[in-house]
Amino acid sequence: GGTSAAARNIISGNTSTQLVSLGKAVIEGNYIGPLKNGSLGPAATYGVGLYSNDNVVGGIGSSSTNLIAGNQTGVAVVSTLLGIPLGNSILNNQIYANTLAAIDLAADTDFNFIPDADLGLNTNDAGDGDTGSNYYLNSAVITSASYVGSAVSVEFNLDVADSVTGLYKVEFFANDSASENGGKTYLGFASTTAGAHSSGGTLMAPDGYDLAGKYLTTTVTQITNEGEAIFSSTSEFSSPFLLTV
């Protein structure tokens, strides 16, 4: 893929996994699941299956956005007998309408491309000391979200372990329904620190986009600033929270 329409791959029609990485890949600007006309193709087990370290799905700018929809699981970061994949960042994508999970930090001990543990939203643990795919990074818990004009005021709780920089990026998304399962429309991000604490921020809705009645979700990503790797492991999506007007 790439950051221009000419570089876009349209990957659809598979029933196992649309795209697999066993190395170190940058996956950006693609349609993974939808057909060329935007309709959804057959539901693959995984839209993207990551079995190795330091893959990047999406990126910082909107031109890096992948559209990942219509699969059973949008992006799966999967530990196997080959090892536990770490440092996989999933940023600024449109991941929605996947029937089981948008992002799944999972295990597949028999390597049959079907998770045998942790399918769906993992349970946050105090101090975030557990181990597994992408460290089973805790997700944020949204505690309030209100919509006034074109601005969204949001508060959330987060309990994450210390990292290289002690910093984390929290991305926010809007969804049409609580069952949409992921992040359909990117709203922006807030930076926060390690530890157990509350935080918040103000986000702006895209021009012409009405957020009334939408459901807010988040992902959390470690900030590393190590060489070319600005970001590291990303969490699963949070539970949806209804925006109030």
Side-chain angles (χ1 to χ4, degrees), residues 124-129 138 159:
N124 288 338
D125 62 305
D128 203 15
N138 281 350
D159 184 2

Coordinates of all heavy atoms in Angstrom, one line a residue, residues 124-129 138 159:
N124 N -9.0 -5.4 31.6 CA -7.9 -4.6 32.2 C -7.5 -5.1 33.5 O -8.3 -5.6 34.3 CB -8.3 -3.1 32.4 CG -8.5 -2.4 31.0 OD1 -7.9 -2.8 30.0 ND2 -9.2 -1.3 31.1
D125 N -6.1 -5.1 33.8 CA -5.6 -5.5 35.0 C -4.9 -4.4 35.7 O -4.3 -3.5 35.1 CB -4.6 -6.7 34.8 CG -3.4 -6.3 34.0 OD1 -3.6 -5.8 32.8 OD2 -2.3 -6.5 34.4
A126 N -4.9 -4.4 37.0 CA -4.3 -3.3 37.8 C -2.8 -3.3 37.6 O -2.1 -4.3 37.7 CB -4.6 -3.5 39.3
G127 N -2.3 -2.1 37.2 CA -0.9 -1.9 36.9 C -0.4 -2.4 35.6 O 0.7 -2.2 35.2
D128 N -1.3 -3.1 34.8 CA -1.0 -3.5 33.5 C 0.2 -4.4 33.4 O 1.1 -4.2 32.5 CB -0.9 -2.3 32.5 CG -1.2 -2.7 31.1 OD1 -1.7 -3.8 30.8 OD2 -0.8 -1.9 30.2
G129 N 0.4 -5.3 34.3 CA 1.6 -6.1 34.4 C 1.5 -7.4 33.7 O 2.5 -8.2 33.7
N138 N -3.6 -2.4 28.5 CA -4.9 -2.0 28.9 C -5.5 -1.0 28.0 O -4.8 -0.1 27.5 CB -4.8 -1.4 30.3 CG -4.7 -2.5 31.4 OD1 -4.9 -3.7 31.2 ND2 -4.4 -2.1 32.6
D159 N -5.0 2.9 33.2 CA -4.0 2.3 34.1 C -3.1 1.5 33.3 O -3.3 0.3 32.8 CB -4.8 1.4 35.1 CG -3.8 0.8 36.1 OD1 -2.6 1.1 36.1 OD2 -4.3 0.0 37.0

